[in-house]
Amino acid sequence: MPEESVVLIDEDDRELGVGEKLAVHQTGELHRAFSVFAFNPAGELLLQRRALGKYHSPGLWTNSACGHPRPGETTEAAAARRFREELGIEAGELREVGILRYRAELADLVENELDHLLVCEISVDPSPDPDEVVEWRFVPVAELDEWIARARETEFTAWFPPAWEIVSARAR
C-alpha cells in the first residue's frame, strides 16, 4: 500500500505541514480528519463495522465513512472520495454540522484530530469494499441512542459516540 499523507494542523485548523498517516498516528500529531453521517429517507443512520484488517479500530461500529483530506484536497472532496471508496456509492450533498476535537490512545496508536462532521442523505444501499467494511446497517436514531448508552468500549470507534452527540443535536 502506498504511503498516504495527512494534513498537520494547529488547534485553529491552520495547516502546519504534512505527515505520513501511520507515522502521525504513532506520534499523535494533531491532524485534520472528517466523519460522514449518511441518513436514508426514513431518517435512519448508515453505520458500518470496520473491516477486520484495518490497522486501528478493526471490527468496531462507526459512522458511515471517515478519513483524512490529502494535502491540497478540500475536506468535502475528501469526504466524497472516501465515501465512494468505502461504500461503493456516491454521497448525497455533504453539509458540515460541526467539528469534534478529540484525542484517544488506541493500543500503540494515538488519534489526535480535528474531525469535521458532515451529513448527507442517500437513497440506495451501499456496496462496500470488503477491505474497508465488514458489515453495515441502517439504524433508527432512537435505537442508536439506546445502543450507545448501553454499549461497551469494544463496540464503537473512539470518535463515534462523541461525534454522534454533536451530529444528533445539529442534524435533526
Side-chain angles (χ1 to χ4, degrees), residues 4-59:
E4 188 166 341
S5 295
V6 297
V7 179
L8 304 176
I9 56 172
D10 66 14
E11 293 289 342
D12 294 317
D13 204 18
R14 290 186 297 252
E15 293 186 23
L16 299 176
V18 173
E20 192 278 320
K21 185 170 86 168
L22 181 56
V24 167
H25 284 111
Q26 291 169 329
T27 61
E29 293 173 272
L30 182 60
H31 58 283
R32 188 175 294 143
F34 59 84
S35 292
V36 179
F37 294 75
F39 295 87
N40 66 14
E44 299 167 319
L45 178 63
L46 174 62
L47 291 184
Q48 64 153 283
R49 193 160 69 93
R50 292 168 59 88
L52 301 178
K54 299 290 274 185
Y55 76 89
H56 78 77
S57 307

Side-chain angles (χ1 to χ4, degrees), residues 83-171:
F83 197 87
R84 200 170 36 256
E85 291 171 355
E86 291 183 29
L87 299 169
I89 59 174
E90 297 297 321
E93 181 181 338
L94 292 162
R95 179 174 56 93
E96 188 168 312
V97 295
I99 298 175
L100 171 67
R101 170 64 171 99
Y102 84 101
R103 186 179 190 284
E105 294 188 18
L106 313 167
D108 59 345
L109 301 173
V110 179
E111 286 274 41
N112 188 18
E113 300 180 338
L114 283 182
D115 188 8
H116 293 254
L117 308 175
L118 301 114
V119 298
C120 69
E121 186 172 308
I122 58 172
S123 58
V124 297
D125 286 348
S127 179
D129 177 344
D131 290 336
E132 299 285 348
V133 178
V134 70
E135 187 177 353
W136 62 271
R137 63 182 281 221
F138 284 103
V139 181
V141 168
E143 180 183 326
L144 178 57
D145 289 338
E146 291 172 12
W147 185 8
I148 290 171
R150 64 174 164 45
R152 299 182 312 272
E153 279 186 27
T154 56
E155 288 184 68
F156 293 107
T157 58
W159 64 89
F160 178 67
W164 172 244
E165 189 174 326
I166 294 168
V167 169
S168 66
R170 297 182 184 169

